[in-house]
């Protein structure tokens, strides 16, 4: 019933910027946090950024200062603004939502940082 749709990925040059979007449809009871994970081939999935219902945020050390996670007034939407992109940022990025009880995942969007 609940579906998360990511968008905004693509090919970008090093130093460039992208903004990822995640729009959730369906009934999600009391969203506690929304976040972004990423996974590169041969590597484990890692947390990139998270934002709690209180507005607090947390970032992986590798992206802090370059990425910004945000939620607009729309309740079931989250963005990830990515600046100063590096080749090592290349990965599939996944949207993640924690409700009060349930957890939901998007299918992922590919970000390829290359000249």
């Amino acid at each position: 019933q609940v579906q998360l749709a990511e968008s905004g990925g693509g090919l970008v040059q090093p130093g460039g910027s992208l903004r990822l979007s995640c729009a959730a449809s369906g009934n999600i009871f009391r969203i506690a946090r929304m976040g972004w994970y990423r996974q590169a081939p041969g590597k484990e999935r890692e947390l990139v950024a998270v934002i709690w219902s209180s507005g607090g945020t947390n970032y992986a050390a590798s992206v802090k200062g370059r990425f910004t996670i945000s939620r607009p007034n729309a309740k079931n939407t989250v963005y990830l603004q990515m600046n100063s992109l590096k080749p090592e940022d290349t990965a599939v990025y996944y949207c993640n939502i924690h409700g009060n009880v349930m957890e939901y995942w998007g299918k992922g969007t590919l970000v390829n940082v290359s000249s």
Side-chain angles (χ1 to χ4, degrees):
Q1 184 174 350
V2 175
Q3 188 172 17
L4 278 58
E6 303 105 330
S7 63
L11 177 64
V12 63
Q13 293 182 336
S17 299
L18 287 174
R19 188 180 73 165
L20 304 184
S21 300
C22 176
S25 61
N27 190 291
I28 303 177
F29 183 71
R30 295 186 180 181
I31 295 176
R33 53 173 272 189
M34 303 182 73
W36 290 92
Y37 290 73
R38 69 184 182 187
Q39 186 169 27
K43 296 183 178 180
E44 296 183 0
R45 184 176 298 188
E46 64 174 345
L47 176 68
V48 177
V50 62
I51 183 167
W52 285 275
S53 59
S54 64
T57 59
N58 191 38
Y59 298 89
S62 59
V63 307
K64 192 172 184 178
R66 300 188 296 119
F67 292 9
T68 303
I69 188 169
S70 63
R71 290 184 65 185
N73 291 332
K75 297 180 180 180
N76 296 343
T77 304
V78 63
Y79 298 106
L80 183 68
Q81 179 66 46
M82 305 184 295
N83 299 325
S84 302
L85 284 162
K86 304 175 181 180
E88 51 263 43
D89 294 319
T90 297
V92 176
Y93 286 70
Y94 298 90
C95 180
N96 171 257
I97 296 178
H98 284 244
N100 192 40
V101 177
M102 301 295 293
E103 184 179 9
Y104 309 95
W105 289 91
K107 295 181 179 180
T109 183
L110 177 63
V111 173
N112 187 6
V113 185
S114 179
S115 298

